[in-house]
């Protein structure tokens, strides 16, 4: 079976940054997509869970976050218009092979789990893959990256993790919090 | 392909392929019984089923079974070697020498010192010998991991684990898996290549994963390099035979310092300093209380190969 790799290398924003200048070009998350992925994925959805340590990221990645019973509240994230949401949805609009997203207005604090879900272009969208990582701290300003990389794998319908896909896999759930 | 020779070959190999009933550990047919017992590991259903299919001459079915088996999570080193060995054999019987070669290369990447038993048919041994020769000439370079010397770790501190990983192929990733000893699931962090030296990688276990406790405790861990399809290429330890390190107990808070030179509270400058600090702190609290502190998490998305 020909496999097309979907690799999202994610840098967890765990180190505190000081003010807007703290980033110095280093980013909270850096995602690498295989060439074939943009054809299949239409949106990335970002959510932050409080009490991140209480979750098993392996489990979280297996299904749509919205379909899971959460033991702690989601952090309310604000969009560009200042409206609060349980998760932010970003259309995948690559310009020259890259795209910058920004999740701002996150209340500073400790012990989060960040979940990035890749949504298919279907209508309604389905979960193509999910990545979850622990974020020990969100500091004020732009958060610098901690050099901890991980992969987002396409999620198998049986709940397992699958690195790379022939394009046929997705989980039968609509990941959106606001439908 | 005519079925006759296939079945003959399968028959010749039957004793070897159908050897250990538990099928979890690859061993040459002529391995002593004691070695078999000593290395018994968890069963792998894909290996067992593929062996049966090979015995029955169903080579296509065996290939499918083995590919599914290789995609399963938590495949141990021993199981992976066996899966690739059988895959190589099945592909060879199907006349797919290139695919057989690919399977044997993967096997050798994972276990560079692996040798086929002498009872294997000469054609298979010859191919295997050629591939090994290629590796010696560095045409196929096995992934090698030099694990860190990790025996103890400080509590409540991020734990940096540095390993030397050579010949990490395109698309392959190295991960550090860890859990508290006795726990069920492993968490993982990825190894990141350091700028210098380039074959040095570092993974960081967050501080909250090694919390300080009054007594020391053990953590299990293992290192794994997997290809883009999550197939293990190399590793140190595995989920069933993890390595361990010890998290040191939380240090006792130092006892009260005895001030035996004069009476500090009689010094007016100290009270002045305290007053200034208190005023500053109060002002700071007012500022903080009236401002909602928020952070920003930038995300940069990039397609592989894009500038």
């Amino acid at each position: 079976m020909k496999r097309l790799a979907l690799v999202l290398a994610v840098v967890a924003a765990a180190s505190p940054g000081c003010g807007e200048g703290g980033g110095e070009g280093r980013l909270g998350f850096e995602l690498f997509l295989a060439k074939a992925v943009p054809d299949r994925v239409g949106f990335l959805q970002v959510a932050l869970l409080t009490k991140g340590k209480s979750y098993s990221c392996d489990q979280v990645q297996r299904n749509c976050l919205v379909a899971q019973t959460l033991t702690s509240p989601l952090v309310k994230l604000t969009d560009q218009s200042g409206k609060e949401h349980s998760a932010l949805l970003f259309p995948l609009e690559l310009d020259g092979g890259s795209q910058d997203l920004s999740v701002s207005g996150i209340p500073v604090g400790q012990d989060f789990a960040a979940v990035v879900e890749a949504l298919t272009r279907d209508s309604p969208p389905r979960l193509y893959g999910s990545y979850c990582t622990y974020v020990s701290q969100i500091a004020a300003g732009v958060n610098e990256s901690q050099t901890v990389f991980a992969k987002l794998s396409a999620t198998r319908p049986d709940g397992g993790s699958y690195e790379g896909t022939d394009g046929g896999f997705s989980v039968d759930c609509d990941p959106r919090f606001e439908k | 392909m005519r079925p006759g020779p296939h079945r003959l070959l399968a028959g010749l190999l039957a004793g070897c392929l159908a050897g250990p009933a538990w099928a979890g550990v690859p061993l040459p047919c002529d391995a002593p019984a004691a070695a078999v017992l000593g290395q018994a590991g968890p069963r792998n259903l894909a290996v067992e089923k593929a062996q049966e299919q090979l015995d029955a001459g169903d080579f296509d079915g065996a290939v499918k079974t083995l590919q599914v088996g290789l995609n399963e999570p938590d495949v141990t080193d021993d199981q992976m070697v066996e899966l690739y060995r059988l895959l190589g054999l099945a592909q060879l019987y199907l006349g797919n020498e290139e695919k057989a070669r690919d399977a044997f290369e993967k096997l050798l990447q994972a276990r560079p010192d692996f040798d086929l038993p002498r009872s294997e048919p000469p054609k298979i041994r010859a191919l295997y010998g050629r591939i090994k020769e290629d590796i010696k000439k560095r045409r196929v370079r096995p992934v090698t991991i030099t694990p860190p010397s990790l025996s103890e770790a400080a509590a409540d501190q991020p734990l940096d684990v540095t390993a030397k990983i050579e010949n990490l192929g395109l698309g392959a990733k190295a991960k550090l898996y860890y859990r508290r000893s006795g726990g069920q699931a492993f968490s993982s962090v990825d190894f990141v290549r350091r700028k210098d030296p380039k074959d040095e990688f570092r993974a960081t276990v967050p501080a909250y994963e090694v919390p300080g406790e009054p007594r020391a405790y053990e953590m299990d861990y293992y290192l794994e390099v997997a290809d883009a399809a999550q197939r293990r290429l190399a590793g140190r330890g595995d989920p069933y035979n993890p390595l361990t390190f010890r998290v040191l107990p939380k240090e006792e808070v130092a006892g009260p310092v005895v001030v035996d030179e004069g009476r500090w509270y009689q010094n007016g400058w100290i009270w002045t300093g305290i007053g200034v600090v208190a005023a500053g702190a109060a002002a700071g609290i007012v500022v903080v209380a009236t401002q909602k502190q928020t952070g920003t998490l930038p995300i940069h998305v990039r397609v592989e190969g894009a500038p």
Side-chain angles (χ1 to χ4, degrees), chain B residues 16-125:
Chain B
C16 194
L17 297 174
W22 34 267
V25 179
L27 281 174
C29 313
D30 47 358
V36 173
L37 292 171
Q39 296 183 37
R43 294 175 62 194
N44 185 296
L45 296 178
V47 169
E48 292 178 8
K49 185 179 174 187
Q51 281 183 335
E52 289 169 6
Q53 289 169 314
L54 280 169
D55 292 346
D58 179 10
F59 305 119
D60 282 316
V63 168
K64 285 176 187 167
T65 301
L66 291 162
Q67 283 171 339
V68 170
L70 285 165
N71 283 328
E72 288 298 316
D74 298 337
V75 177
T76 66
D77 268 358
D78 290 334
Q79 290 170 347
M80 189 181 61
V81 167
E82 186 66 352
L83 286 162
Y84 277 125
R85 185 177 75 87
L86 294 178
L87 185 61
L89 292 173
Q91 294 287 14
L92 211 57
Y93 295 147
L94 288 168
N96 302 326
E97 186 167 323
E98 277 308 305
K99 288 181 180 176
R101 184 185 178 84
D102 183 57
F104 285 138
E105 282 180 3
K106 292 265 173 52
L107 187 160
L108 284 165
Q109 277 189 319
R111 192 70 65 79
D113 58 348
F114 184 85
D115 260 326
L116 290 179
R118 289 181 182 180
S119 52
E120 296 281 17
K123 183 178 177 184
I124 293 168
R125 287 178 57 79

Side-chain angles (χ1 to χ4, degrees), chain B:
Chain B
M1 299 281 288
R2 289 174 301 168
H6 292 164
R7 294 200 179 273
L8 181 61
L9 274 171
L12 286 170
L13 281 172
C16 194
L17 297 174
W22 34 267
V25 179
L27 281 174
C29 313
D30 47 358
V36 173
L37 292 171
Q39 296 183 37
R43 294 175 62 194
N44 185 296
L45 296 178
V47 169
E48 292 178 8
K49 185 179 174 187
Q51 281 183 335
E52 289 169 6
Q53 289 169 314
L54 280 169
D55 292 346
D58 179 10
F59 305 119
D60 282 316
V63 168
K64 285 176 187 167
T65 301
L66 291 162
Q67 283 171 339
V68 170
L70 285 165
N71 283 328
E72 288 298 316
D74 298 337
V75 177
T76 66
D77 268 358
D78 290 334
Q79 290 170 347
M80 189 181 61
V81 167
E82 186 66 352
L83 286 162
Y84 277 125
R85 185 177 75 87
L86 294 178
L87 185 61
L89 292 173
Q91 294 287 14
L92 211 57
Y93 295 147
L94 288 168
N96 302 326
E97 186 167 323
E98 277 308 305
K99 288 181 180 176
R101 184 185 178 84
D102 183 57
F104 285 138
E105 282 180 3
K106 292 265 173 52
L107 187 160
L108 284 165
Q109 277 189 319
R111 192 70 65 79
D113 58 348
F114 184 85
D115 260 326
L116 290 179
R118 289 181 182 180
S119 52
E120 296 281 17
K123 183 178 177 184
I124 293 168
R125 287 178 57 79
L127 174 67
Y128 192 79
R130 285 204 302 274
I131 294 169
K132 284 199 84 171
E133 202 57 36
D134 285 349
I135 288 176
K136 281 182 189 168
K137 292 175 184 170
R138 311 299 292 169
R139 274 182 271 169
V140 179
R141 292 178 294 179
V143 180
T144 59
I145 298 180
T146 307
S149 173
L150 183 58
S151 56
E152 291 184 339
D156 293 324
Q157 300 286 328
L159 173 60
D160 285 336
V161 178
T162 304
K164 187 177 179 185
I165 303 172
E166 294 173 284
N167 306 321
L168 188 66
L170 191 66
K173 296 283 180 187
K175 272 188 170 188
L176 170 72
Y177 292 84
Y178 60 90
R179 72 176 177 197
R180 185 146 176 171
S181 294
Q184 284 193 321
F186 281 89
S187 299
S188 67
V189 287
D190 279 25
F191 277 98
V192 180
R193 190 189 291 273
R194 304 190 72 182
K195 284 187 178 173
D196 189 33
K198 285 191 172 179
D199 55 1
E200 193 168 289
F201 288 70
R202 185 166 67 191
T204 303
V205 177
Y208 56 76
E209 297 280 37
V210 284
E213 295 188 2
R215 292 184 179 180
Y217 57 91
E218 299 274 321
M219 295 281 288
D220 296 337
Y221 74 102
Y222 65 95
L223 289 69
E224 185 174 274
V225 175
D227 64 14
Q230 287 293 291
R231 296 172 179 178
R232 181 170 166 134
L233 299 177
R236 285 290 182 276
D238 60 50
Y240 300 100
N241 303 292
L243 312 170
T244 59
F245 67 89
R246 186 167 166 264
V247 178
L248 298 173
K250 197 172 186 175
E251 286 184 17
E252 295 291 330
V253 177
V257 177
V258 178
V259 180
D260 54 3
E261 290 183 6
R263 292 171 178 160
W264 62 270
Y265 52 82
Q266 290 176 339
N267 187 331
W269 285 108
I270 288 181
W271 289 108
T272 305
I274 290 173
V276 170
V277 170
I285 289 168
V286 169
V287 170
V288 170
T290 53
Q291 271 189 336
K292 191 181 176 186
Q293 293 273 300
T294 60
T296 298
L297 204 58
I299 301 173
H300 183 66
V301 181
R302 192 149 46 107
V303 174
E304 275 186 334

Side-chain angles (χ1 to χ4, degrees), chain A residues 47-157:
Chain A
L48 266 182
L49 290 159
T50 54
K51 296 185 181 175
K53 281 188 284 185
S54 65
Y55 291 91
S56 161
C57 268
D58 283 345
Q59 290 295 324
V60 170
Q61 291 169 175
R62 293 185 171 211
N63 201 356
C64 290
L65 187 63
V66 71
Q68 298 183 39
T69 305
L70 304 179
T71 54
S72 64
L74 288 156
V75 177
K76 289 293 179 188
L77 304 174
T78 39
D79 63 17
Q80 287 184 331
S81 65
K83 195 178 170 190
E84 288 193 334
H85 304 272
S86 297
L88 292 183
L89 206 56
F90 298 96
L92 194 63
E93 294 169 342
L94 297 164
D95 180 13
S98 67
Q99 182 180 357
D100 285 319
L101 314 174
S102 181
V103 181
S104 54
I106 307 168
V108 297
Q110 295 184 326
D111 189 14
F112 300 99
V115 182
V116 182
E117 292 177 304
L119 281 61
T120 65
R121 292 181 182 274
D122 304 323
S123 183
R126 290 150 58 96
L127 179 65
Y128 181 77
S130 175
Y131 174 72
C132 165
T133 188
Y134 299 110
V135 178
S136 60
Q137 182 178 6
I138 295 286
V142 179
N143 283 251
E144 285 186 32
S145 63
Q146 186 187 52
T147 50
V148 175
F149 286 81
K151 292 169 287 188
L152 185 152
S153 307
T155 306
R156 288 194 321 220

